[in-house]
Amino acid sequence: MQATGDNAFWWRNAAVWLTYLAVSTMLGIGYVGQWSGMLLISASVGVGLFLVSAAIRFHALRVGWLQHDALALGWRLLLAVVIGSTLVQVGTALLLLPALQLDWVRLPGQRADYRPFALFGYWLNSAVMLAAWCALWAGRRALLRARDSEMAQLRAEAQRVTLEHQALRARLNPHFVFNALNNLRALIHEDPVRARDMVTHLSGTLRHALTHTDAGWVALAEEWRVVQDYLAVEAIHYEARLRVRVDIETAALAARLPPMALQLLVENAIKHGIAVTCGGGDLQIAARLVAGQLHLQVRNPVGTAPPGEGHGVGLAYLRAQLGIGDGQATSAQGRLQLLREGDAMLAQLEVRQ
């Protein structure tokens, strides 16, 4: 891709300066009347501007000029224009003066006008053309960068939406719904009061699963109410196999976090820990506010599944919500880790407030 882009640049740049060479030659001949001298001058200036413009592009990309703000980029390009135009005129003079002395080319009076005012005019002509080229090149690069940035943002948004949909499908896992409905059917005749409570908890869980994408970050207190509904439904299914230990500081309840964050950690802990462990185990949930950060911990027995297996969708969704890139554990918004501690798996979530 880089080689293709470089080839395209060389062809475009050659076309620009060949056009300049042709126009300046025709205008010069029409004004001076001597075609050989004007052809040498136009060719020297055109080739010089072609080489200088390519050198400016190469250096700007190599040292990262385009990473600077407009002012810093502007003065660097201005300096490049001043130096480049001077080099072009010096090179032209080094070719033209010997050619006139040796009578290889013709000009009126067989002499070049290098008086200060005329010399400044030559330099200004080169500087204006080179400055226009730099402005067009830098503007085009800025537009391409803006387009690439917009495309990257759209891809990230599409990925976030995809992860949310995947997380939603995980939340509405048929096994969870079928187990809940089967348990509800058994309770209707055995214990109508518990059946009514279960319907309330189940509706709260499903309502949250269907509406979580409409909300921004939520308070831990709100998230904890939903998790309690979910745990109440799962407690009926797992009975004594699910033993919940909670240690949530009061101050932490006002802290904010991405919606479904605690819910997904708890679901993973049950699905990949309690459900696959003979005799179940303790599900420990802890939350505290430390130095302006919410620290969440969810601990569960490891079970028979390999550590981390099946956690992809939920953790990928949380990483996207916190702006954590692939292969990373932290971002400006927080940190997410899975740690093996003996026979337990510990999920740690830190969210900056």
Side-chain angles (χ1 to χ4, degrees):
M1 292 297 292
Q2 181 63 34
T4 301
D6 286 342
N7 290 336
F9 165 78
W10 287 110
W11 283 110
R12 286 195 302 266
N13 204 37
V16 168
W17 296 118
L18 281 174
T19 302
Y20 167 79
L21 188 155
V23 172
S24 63
T25 299
M26 289 187 294
L27 292 176
I29 293 174
Y31 178 73
V32 176
Q34 297 287 345
W35 69 269
S36 59
M38 288 311 304
L39 178 59
L40 176 61
I41 293 173
S42 298
S44 176
V45 172
V47 172
L49 290 174
F50 170 78
L51 296 175
V52 167
S53 60
I56 290 174
R57 170 186 178 269
F58 173 78
H59 184 70
L61 295 178
R62 185 174 65 86
V63 301
W65 280 6
L66 296 175
Q67 307 299 326
H68 297 287
D69 57 37
L71 181 61
L73 174 61
W75 76 257
R76 284 173 169 82
L77 289 177
L78 179 60
L79 182 60
V81 166
V82 171
I83 296 174
S85 300
T86 302
L87 292 175
V88 168
Q89 290 304 319
V90 169
T92 300
L94 291 176
L95 289 175
L96 179 62
L97 293 177
L100 288 172
Q101 290 292 328
L102 297 172
D103 207 26
W104 290 348
V105 296
R106 305 295 298 176
L107 283 177
Q110 204 61 8
R111 60 185 294 272
D113 186 2
Y114 275 112
R115 289 174 296 179
F117 184 77
L119 183 60
F120 177 74
Y122 305 151
W123 178 89
L124 185 61
N125 174 69
S126 300
V128 169
M129 294 303 302
L130 189 56
W133 181 92
C134 287
L136 290 174
W137 175 75
R140 181 175 180 274
R141 296 289 302 193
L143 289 175
L144 291 176
R145 285 169 60 86
R147 185 195 66 181
D148 292 343
S149 177
E150 183 178 0
M151 291 298 296
Q153 184 177 359
L154 290 175
R155 286 193 294 268
E157 180 66 17
Q159 183 183 21
R160 184 187 67 82
V161 172
T162 300
L163 288 172
E164 286 185 347
H165 288 167
Q166 290 176 338
L168 175 59
R169 289 195 297 269
R171 290 289 303 279
L172 297 177
N173 189 309
H175 294 292
F176 168 74
V177 177
F178 292 158
N179 288 337
L181 292 178
N182 286 332
N183 292 328
L184 177 61
R185 182 179 61 181
L187 285 176
I188 287 176
H189 296 292
E190 297 177 4
D191 194 336
V193 175
R194 290 185 66 196
R196 286 195 298 269
D197 290 341
M198 184 175 180
V199 169
T200 300
H201 296 311
L202 181 59
S203 65
T205 301
L206 298 180
R207 180 173 59 251
H208 181 66
L210 293 171
T211 61
H212 78 278
T213 56
D214 297 331
W217 283 26
V218 299
L220 177 60
E222 179 181 347
E223 186 78 3
W224 174 234
R225 283 194 296 271
V226 176
V227 172
Q228 286 177 300
D229 282 335
Y230 173 78
L231 288 173
V233 174
E234 292 289 55
I236 293 175
H237 177 69
Y238 290 103
E239 297 180 334
R241 295 181 60 206
L242 174 60
R243 300 179 292 276
V244 181
R245 307 284 186 264
V246 180
D247 180 17
I248 299 179
E249 292 183 350
T250 303
L253 292 173
R256 304 188 70 78
L257 72 167
M260 292 178 61
L262 178 59
Q263 176 80 12
L264 286 171
L265 293 180
V266 170
E267 288 179 354
N268 275 335
I270 293 178
K271 179 179 179 180
H272 305 290
I274 304 298
V276 293
T277 300
C278 182
D282 291 342
L283 173 64
Q284 302 176 29
I285 303 172
R288 53 186 46 84
L289 203 58
V290 180
Q293 285 192 344
L294 173 64
H295 289 247
L296 278 177
Q297 291 187 343
V298 177
R299 189 189 307 270
N300 60 272
V302 171
T304 56
E309 182 177 317
H311 292 258
V313 173
L315 295 187
Y317 169 75
L318 289 183
R319 289 191 180 98
Q321 290 290 80
L322 292 171
I324 300 175
D326 294 337
Q328 299 178 341
T330 63
S331 72
Q333 294 179 293
R335 179 183 183 90
L336 178 62
Q337 283 186 307
L338 269 185
L339 303 173
R340 175 73 177 265
E341 295 185 346
D343 294 332
M345 181 66 69
L346 174 64
Q348 292 184 318
L349 175 64
E350 300 175 10
V351 183
R352 294 180 177 87
Q353 302 300 299

